[in-house]
Amino acid sequence: GLEGNIGHYLTRMGRLEEGAAILADKLEMMRTPRQERHDKVATCWTLAQVHLVRGQYEKSAEFCRIGRATSEHYAKEGEARIMAALEGINHWLLGQPDRAAQWLQYNPPPEGPISSTVALALTLNALYPLHHGDEEGGLDIWKRGIANWEGRMTMSSEDAMALWRAHRGLAHAPDS
């Protein structure tokens, strides 16, 4: 609905508090059986990102779980993969590597052409092996993801590889 669109717009504009409040109200309406809707996933995705940037990883992971379950209910594989990947990142940031691995490994690289949503999930998944000593395996997954970005994402392949190098530097940096 219009309210949800406004909430998403406000978060994209950096007005996280206003946007998140609108989306949280909208999500509460969508939790009733009569209002179960596929656009619940987009709402969960945005709320998960808002809580992630706030450092509220448990809350972000909860929105990921809701979004992933809804995606699976509607058989939206790409959306389920991206929600699982973001859930894994949250558990990683919470210092829960086993739970992180569970959700990041939920997303093995598929065969054949993939959507931009699955490509984004793959790039998130590539960070796990990188930070756990398998740089080559992570890079293979990363390249598979960015190969499907061309023409669909605002980031170029060159920029994506620069981002990989930045992550690589973080992975090899001593703990501070």
Side-chain angles (χ1 to χ4, degrees):
L2 180 59
E3 299 89 5
N5 290 339
I6 291 170
H8 290 291
Y9 178 76
L10 288 171
T11 59
R12 281 194 304 272
M13 298 296 294
R15 294 169 58 183
L16 300 182
E17 296 299 322
E18 293 171 273
I22 291 170
L23 291 172
D25 288 345
K26 191 73 174 158
L27 182 61
E28 199 55 44
M29 285 181 12
M30 287 187 239
R31 288 181 188 215
T32 64
R34 219 183 80 196
Q35 290 292 325
E36 182 73 27
R37 296 171 19 180
H38 63 88
D39 60 341
K40 182 176 176 181
V41 177
T43 300
C44 288
W45 169 251
T46 300
L47 288 169
Q49 291 181 87
V50 168
H51 289 288
L52 178 69
V53 299
R54 289 178 175 163
Q56 299 167 337
Y57 308 128
E58 275 294 336
K59 190 77 171 162
S60 179
E62 176 61 24
F63 285 115
C64 291
R65 282 189 287 278
I66 295 166
R68 181 177 35 78
T70 303
S71 299
E72 290 168 350
H73 174 78
Y74 286 102
K76 301 264 188 184
E77 179 190 2
E79 292 173 355
R81 283 173 171 269
I82 193 70
M83 296 306 289
L86 188 57
E87 186 172 350
I89 295 296
N90 278 290
H91 288 296
W92 185 10
L93 292 168
L94 285 164
Q96 302 167 342
D98 292 340
R99 290 189 74 189
Q102 171 190 357
W103 294 114
L104 292 170
Q105 292 171 5
Y106 176 94
N107 285 305
E111 297 299 321
I114 59 175
S115 69
S116 56
T117 304
V118 173
L120 180 56
L122 287 176
T123 57
L124 290 173
N125 292 351
L127 300 179
Y128 186 82
L130 170 65
H131 286 271
H132 286 85
D134 182 9
E135 183 176 332
E136 187 176 316
L139 182 58
D140 287 345
I141 296 169
W142 184 270
K143 286 180 176 178
R144 175 79 198 278
I146 66 168
N148 289 275
W149 282 10
E150 290 299 323
R152 296 191 227 177
M153 305 292 264
T154 56
M155 182 182 288
S156 70
S157 293
E158 293 80 21
D159 290 341
M161 288 309 298
L163 182 58
W164 172 262
R165 289 188 295 278
H167 280 292
R168 185 176 171 269
L170 289 172
H172 294 293
D175 291 336
S176 20

